[in-house]
Amino acid sequence: MLICKQINKSYSKTILSNFNLEVRQGEIVALLGPSGSGKSTLLKIICGLETLDSGYVYFNGKNLENIPPEKREIGMVFQKLALFPHLDVRGNLKFGLDKKSDIKEIDEILDLVGLSDYGKRKIHTLSGGEAQRVALARSLIAKPKMILLDEPLSSLDANIKEDLAIEVRSLLKKLNISAIYVTHDPKTANQLSDRIVYINAQILSDE
Amino acid sequence: MKIKILIVVIWSMLVLVPPLISWQQLEIVAEQTILETLRNFDSRFQTQGSISFTFFVAISSTILTMIIGIPLAWNLGRYKWRYHIILRSIFTVPFVMPSILVAMGFLSLLDWFEVIFGDNNSQDLRIYSLLLAHAWFNLALVVRFCEPILSTIEESYEDAARLLPSGNTKLKRFGRLWGPLLLPNIIASASLVFVFSFTSFALVKFLVPAKRNLEVVMSNQAEWAGVEIPALGRAPSEIVLASSSIQLLTIILALAISSKLQSRSQGHHLSSLKDSRKEVSFFSIRGLYILMMLIFIISPLFALISSSFLVRENGVMIWSTQGWVAAFGGTHSPTNVYQSLYSSLSYAFLTVLISLPIGFVLSDSINELEKEDSKFSTILDILVMFPLALSAVMVGLGVLVGIIRTEPELARVWWIPIYGHLMLATPFVVRVLLPAMRNLNPEFEQSAALLGAGYLKRLMTIKIPILAPSIIVASSLVFAISLGEFGASWVVLRFTEYTTIPVMIGNILSRPGYDPLLRSVANAAGTVLLLMTLILFIGVERFRPVGRGGEF
C-alpha cells in the first residue's frame, strides 16, 4: 500500500502543495490533470527520481525517504517510453532481469503482452502501440510491487489508445499490481482505473 | 549539370593522378615492386624501428586521448555549465591549431620543466610529452563526436535504467547503457585519433627528434625520392615507396572502420535535439576537474606565448623582446614574419577561393546521388576523402614526385603549394557542407522552382543563403587548415622563397648548432600564427549549428 502524506515540491514555483494520496494493493489509480499540474513530478517523487521538499512517502509500511530508486521495487513506464535504441526488444526486456533470473521469462512476458515474435525486432521498427507494450513488459519483467505509468498512451491514436488501455488494465489486474496512471485524458482515465484523483495546480481533490 | 560533372572529373584527376604518377616514378627509380621494397624495410639504418615506433605512438596516443577525452565529453555532455559555449570552444580549439604550434607549445613546456625540475633531455620524458601532445591535439575530436549525443540523449534512459535490475548501479548503467550507446562514436573518434597520430609529422619531428615515424622517414627522403641519379642509389625511392604503402593501407583500414561505425551509430535514432543536461556549479568536484582540464588546454599555448618573450642563457630564462625583433627582422630565417605572413595569407585566401566552390559542387553531387540511392555517392565520397587517407607529407610527396620531378620547371612556380593545400582542405569543406545539405528541406527549392526560379536563381536566393552559416564555417576551417599546413608545405616549399609561417618556424627549429635566440624567434612567429588561428576559430564557433556531432 502506498501513502503519500503532506507532499510539497517547488522549483521556481510551487508544483505540489500538501498533497495526499493512498493507493491500495492491486488498485489502479488515475491521476488526472492539465499539463504542468505536477503529475509527472509526483510519480518521480514516488519512485525516487526526484526529492521532495517536505512530506512523506510510505510504501508497504516503509518510509521511502532514504531508499534509492533502484531499491524501492517500484517500476515506471515513461511518457517517451525510454526504450534503449541500441538494443532490440529482447535486449530491452533482458535489462529488466537480474543475473539470476530465468531467461525464459522474456518469452513469457512477450506472450503476455501479445508480442511473441517480436524479440529480435529493432526498437525503431515498432509501431507506437507495440513500443508501448514493450515498455510495459520491460517494467513488469522486473517484478515491481507497484507500477507508475506517466502518460505512456498519450501519443497513440484514439482507437489504439482505447484498446490498449483495456489491455493494460486487464494485465495489471491479472498480475495484481498496484498502479498510478497519469493522464490528462478523462476517457482513458475512466477506462483504465478503479479510481480517479484530480490534480489541478496546487489544489487536489479526491473523488 | 555539365559543369558539375566536369568539376567532379577534375577533382578525381587532381586527387588520383599525382599519387599514381609518383608511385610509378618511385617504382621506376627503385627498380622494385612495392612488395619487394617492404621486405628489407626495417633493416635499413634510415628506417630501422620506424614501423614499430609509428604504431606504438599511434596506439598509445589513441588510448591516452580516450582516457582524457571521454570523461571530458561526459562532463560537457551531461552537465550544463555556466559559460558552456565558451568552455566548449576552449576544449575544441586544439583541433584547429597548426600542429607545429602544438609542438612548440610542448617544447616550451619542456623548457619550463627543465628550468624548474632539472633535466628535460630524457627520451622517455620527450615520448610522454609527444603522447600528451597528441592527446591535447585530438581531444576535440572525442568531444565533437561524443558530447552532442550525450547532451541530447533522452534523460529518461538514465531514469528508466536506474529502475531496472540491470541498471541499478552506476557501473551497470555504464556497462550496459552508456558504454554500448556511445561505443560507435568512441570507436569512430578513436579511429580518427589513430589516423592523426599515425600521420603526425611536426610533433614527432620536433618533440622526439631522435626517433622517426613513417611520416618523418618519408620527409627525410623526400629530397631525393623519385630522382634518377645513379650516385644516389635507389634507397630514397625504395624507402618512400614502402613507407607510403604501409601508411596508406593502415589509414584506409582505420578510416573504413570509422566510417562503418559512424553509419551504425546514426542508425540508433538517439538524438532528441532537446537539451537534457543537468545544471552544475563550478564549485564542485566536477568543477575542479573542468578547471584542471582548462589548465591542460591553455598551458601549452600560454607557454608558447610567454616563451616568445624569454631567452635562455646559461640555464636561466631572461625576459626579452629579442625573439620578436629577430622574427620580424628575418635575421634567423630566410624570410621574415611579414614575408611569411604574406605568403601564408595569400595561399590561405586562394585555397578558400578555389576549394569552396569545388567542395560545394562535390557536396551537392554526393547529396543528389544519395537521394537517387546511387552507389556512386559512396564512390564519390571516398574520392573526396582520399587525400585525408594520404597524409600531408604524402600529399606533398605526390606533388613533388608526381608533378615536379616529371616537370622540373614547375619546382619554382609559386602556385604549386596551393595544389597540396587544396587536396588537404577540400575534404573538410565537404564534411561541413554535406550534412547541412542533407538537412536542407527540398521543398524550399521545389516551391522556388514552381514560382519560376531557374537553377542559378535558386542557388543564389535559396540554397546559398540557407547554407550560409555552414559555408562560413567551412571557409574559416579551410583558411585555418591552409594557414597552419605544415607537412605538405615542408616537403614542397622549404627551399623556395614562398615560405609560409609554419615552414619558416620549421626552418628556424631545424637550424644546426645552438643559438639561444632560435626558440624565441620561432615562438614569436608561432604566436602570430596562434593569434590568427584563434581569431578565425572564434569566428567559426559563432556560426556552428547546435547539437551537431561526428563532424569537423
Side-chain angles (χ1 to χ4, degrees):
Chain A
M1 186 178 179
L2 177 88
I3 300 170
C4 297
K5 214 171 171 180
Q6 300 284 308
I7 287 181
N8 289 290
K9 179 72 185 176
S10 305
Y11 295 109
S12 52
K13 61 171 188 169
T14 302
I15 302 291
L16 292 165
S17 175
N18 290 327
F19 173 66
N20 295 299
L21 175 74
E22 281 189 22
V23 182
R24 290 180 288 275
Q25 174 61 41
E27 186 184 27
I28 304 173
V29 172
L31 206 55
L32 191 67
S35 298
S37 56
K39 304 185 298 288
S40 299
T41 306
L42 177 68
L43 293 195
K44 287 194 169 182
I45 287 172
I46 292 171
C47 71
L49 294 171
E50 280 284 356
T51 54
L52 36 70
D53 297 341
S54 64
Y56 303 96
V57 180
Y58 289 96
F59 186 53
N60 289 340
K62 264 191 287 188
N63 185 346
L64 294 183
E65 194 180 354
N66 294 319
I67 300 177
E70 52 272 20
K71 291 193 175 159
R72 293 189 180 194
E73 297 181 281
I74 296 174
M76 184 157 170
V77 180
F78 292 82
Q79 189 171 15
K80 288 184 180 169
L81 306 179
L83 291 172
F84 305 135
H86 63 298
L87 302 173
D88 58 12
V89 169
R90 187 168 280 276
N92 267 277
L93 295 180
K94 208 174 160 191
F95 217 98
L97 294 173
D98 58 28
K99 278 183 184 167
K100 295 169 202 158
S101 306
D102 188 348
I103 211 89
K104 280 181 191 164
E105 288 180 41
I106 293 175
D107 295 322
E108 287 167 15
I109 198 91
L110 279 173
D111 265 347
L112 201 64
V113 295
L115 295 174
S116 306
D117 301 325
Y118 282 64
K120 288 185 178 165
R121 286 276 292 270
K122 296 277 178 204
I123 295 304
H124 69 270
T125 66
L126 300 175
S127 69
E130 290 161 354
Q132 205 284 331
R133 286 174 211 213
V134 174
L136 182 65
R138 189 178 67 180
S139 283
L140 289 175
I141 205 169
K143 297 190 181 69
K145 296 209 168 104
M146 175 175 234
I147 194 156
L148 310 172
L149 303 138
D150 188 6
E151 296 200 66
L153 308 181
S154 62
S155 60
L156 301 179
D157 293 339
N159 290 345
I160 300 170
K161 193 192 278 187
E162 200 171 307
D163 292 345
L164 213 54
I166 294 163
E167 272 184 48
V168 170
R169 179 181 166 81
S170 71
L171 192 64
L172 292 174
K173 286 292 170 192
K174 191 173 166 183
L175 298 168
N176 193 30
I177 295 178
S178 318
I180 300 176
Y181 180 80
V182 152
T183 183
H184 59 265
D185 176 13
K187 197 176 170 190
T188 320
N190 263 318
Q191 282 165 338
L192 210 144
S193 67
D194 301 321
R195 185 162 58 98
I196 298 174
V197 173
Y198 292 95
I199 176 168
N200 189 2
Q202 294 125 42
I203 305 154
L204 291 151
S205 61
D206 212 348
E207 197 175 82
Chain B
M1 197 62 196
K2 278 179 186 167
I3 296 173
K4 260 192 197 175
I5 295 169
L6 189 69
I7 288 186
V8 171
V9 171
I10 290 174
W11 171 257
S12 310
M13 303 274 285
L14 278 174
V15 164
L16 292 175
V17 171
L20 290 176
I21 294 176
S22 69
W23 272 316
Q24 193 195 17
Q25 175 77 5
L26 289 168
E27 271 194 328
I28 291 168
V29 178
E31 292 175 7
Q32 283 182 18
T33 62
I34 291 171
L35 276 177
E36 285 165 340
T37 60
L38 288 172
R39 237 172 260 156
N40 57 352
F41 183 79
D42 215 36
S43 59
R44 294 176 182 280
F45 75 93
Q46 303 101 316
T47 55
Q48 212 166 31
S50 60
I51 295 178
S52 54
F53 182 68
T54 309
F55 275 96
F56 163 75
V57 168
I59 293 168
S60 312
S61 302
T62 308
I63 294 169
L64 186 65
T65 309
M66 293 297 129
I67 290 171
I68 299 175
I70 292 171
L72 179 64
W74 180 272
N75 279 293
L76 288 178
R78 296 305 295 164
Y79 299 93
K80 195 169 199 167
W81 300 89
R82 207 171 170 195
Y83 312 118
H84 198 97
I85 294 171
I86 298 171
L87 268 184
R88 202 179 64 161
S89 301
I90 294 171
F91 286 124
T92 47
V93 80
F95 192 64
V96 291
M97 278 295 139
S99 54
I100 194 158
L101 288 190
V102 186
M104 289 166 62
F106 276 83
L107 277 176
S108 305
L109 281 178
L110 281 176
D111 282 346
W112 281 106
F113 193 87
E114 187 184 348
V115 169
I116 299 166
F117 300 104
D119 179 38
N120 84 331
N121 288 318
S122 87
Q123 191 66 20
D124 284 350
L125 185 65
R126 284 184 162 264
I127 289 177
Y128 294 144
S129 68
L130 172 69
L131 302 183
L132 216 52
H134 280 154
W136 186 93
F137 189 66
N138 291 310
L139 207 58
L141 273 177
V142 188
V143 173
R144 279 251 184 270
F145 272 77
C146 298
E147 188 249 9
I149 286 183
L150 281 164
S151 63
T152 53
I153 218 161
E154 286 287 341
E155 195 184 0
S156 50
Y157 288 159
E158 171 84 8
D159 290 342
R162 215 176 153 188
L163 296 174
L164 295 166
S166 293
N168 59 11
T169 62
K170 275 186 182 170
L171 198 66
K172 281 184 187 173
R173 283 199 290 284
F174 183 78
R176 298 203 56 186
L177 177 67
W178 295 111
L181 272 176
L182 283 179
L183 196 62
N185 289 65
I186 290 173
I187 297 182
S189 57
S191 316
L192 285 179
V193 174
F194 177 85
V195 168
F196 289 128
S197 306
F198 196 89
T199 56
S200 174
F201 175 54
L203 288 169
V204 178
K205 184 175 170 64
F206 297 116
L207 279 175
V208 197
K211 293 272 188 182
R212 289 173 297 235
N213 66 352
L214 290 171
E215 200 82 342
V216 172
V217 164
M218 281 192 284
S219 152
N220 288 344
Q221 304 300 321
E223 209 175 324
W224 306 112
V227 183
E228 285 182 274
I229 301 172
L232 284 172
R234 299 173 311 193
S237 299
E238 280 178 38
I239 290 167
V240 171
L241 195 59
S243 310
S244 58
S245 310
I246 299 166
Q247 187 143 312
L248 187 65
L249 196 71
T250 313
I251 298 170
I252 285 176
L253 259 174
L255 287 177
I257 293 169
S258 166
S259 160
K260 183 87 187 162
L261 287 164
Q262 260 185 291
S263 61
R264 198 186 288 179
S265 154
Q266 279 157 11
H268 281 340
H269 306 273
L270 287 172
S271 174
S272 64
L273 283 181
K274 188 187 157 225
D275 195 336
S276 67
R277 291 169 299 180
K278 294 173 191 165
E279 298 223 355
V280 65
S281 159
F282 280 109
F283 299 101
S284 60
I285 300 278
R286 285 185 197 284
L288 192 68
Y289 167 77
I290 290 289
L291 181 72
M292 280 168 60
M293 290 305 292
L294 279 173
I295 293 170
F296 173 59
I297 294 296
I298 292 167
S299 52
L301 303 179
F302 180 76
L304 166 72
I305 298 169
S306 60
S307 298
S308 70
F309 294 100
L310 288 164
V311 179
R312 219 165 136 204
E313 279 175 15
N314 304 322
V316 181
M317 298 279 205
I318 298 164
W319 290 102
S320 163
T321 53
Q322 280 180 68
W324 283 85
V325 173
F328 279 88
T331 52
H332 286 66
S333 55
T335 53
N336 61 32
V337 168
Y338 296 117
Q339 292 162 321
S340 296
L341 190 61
Y342 178 75
S343 294
S344 286
L345 290 174
S346 307
Y347 286 132
F349 273 121
L350 286 167
T351 307
V352 171
L353 276 180
I354 304 168
S355 73
L356 207 60
I358 293 178
F360 190 94
V361 171
L362 288 170
S363 312
D364 202 28
S365 306
I366 295 171
N367 189 35
E368 277 179 20
L369 287 167
E370 279 176 347
K371 280 182 195 159
E372 291 162 18
D373 218 12
S374 165
K375 59 185 167 192
F376 287 110
S377 68
T378 316
I379 296 170
L380 187 55
D381 205 353
I382 292 169
L383 263 178
V384 166
M385 294 301 282
F386 185 69
L388 284 189
L390 282 177
S391 89
V393 167
M394 279 170 76
V395 166
L397 274 165
V399 175
L400 190 73
V401 183
I403 300 175
I404 298 173
R405 292 271 189 270
T406 43
E407 293 292 335
E409 66 271 21
L410 289 174
R412 308 296 293 177
V413 177
W414 65 270
W415 53 262
I416 273 288
I418 296 173
Y419 192 80
H421 286 212
L422 268 183
M423 284 177 76
L424 293 167
T426 309
F428 288 91
V429 178
V430 176
R431 290 273 73 85
V432 173
L433 290 186
L434 188 57
M437 284 184 183
R438 283 175 183 145
N439 289 335
L440 195 66
N441 186 347
E443 287 175 3
F444 292 144
E445 262 202 279
Q446 286 161 1
S447 54
L450 289 174
L451 291 168
Y455 176 78
L456 204 64
K457 191 171 183 187
R458 292 202 304 272
L459 183 73
M460 299 309 286
T461 57
I462 307 287
K463 218 166 186 171
I464 290 180
I466 293 176
L467 292 173
S470 299
I471 292 172
I472 295 168
V473 170
S475 314
S476 312
L477 196 57
V478 166
F479 201 90
I481 289 168
S482 178
L483 210 57
E485 205 293 314
F486 178 64
S489 306
W490 178 254
V491 172
V492 180
L493 275 179
R494 79 179 126 149
F495 301 121
T496 71
E497 64 268 37
Y498 313 115
T499 310
T500 57
I501 288 201
V503 177
M504 174 191 172
I505 296 167
N507 276 331
I508 296 167
L509 291 178
S510 304
R511 270 175 65 144
Y514 177 74
D515 181 342
L517 201 58
L518 275 184
R519 193 68 70 70
S520 309
V521 181
N523 284 337
T527 304
V528 174
L529 188 58
L530 171 71
L531 292 176
M532 302 214 58
T533 313
L534 278 178
I535 291 165
L536 262 174
F537 182 77
I538 293 161
V540 170
E541 279 301 294
R542 285 184 55 209
F543 294 97
R544 193 177 288 283
V546 178
R548 289 271 174 83
E551 297 164 12
F552 290 100

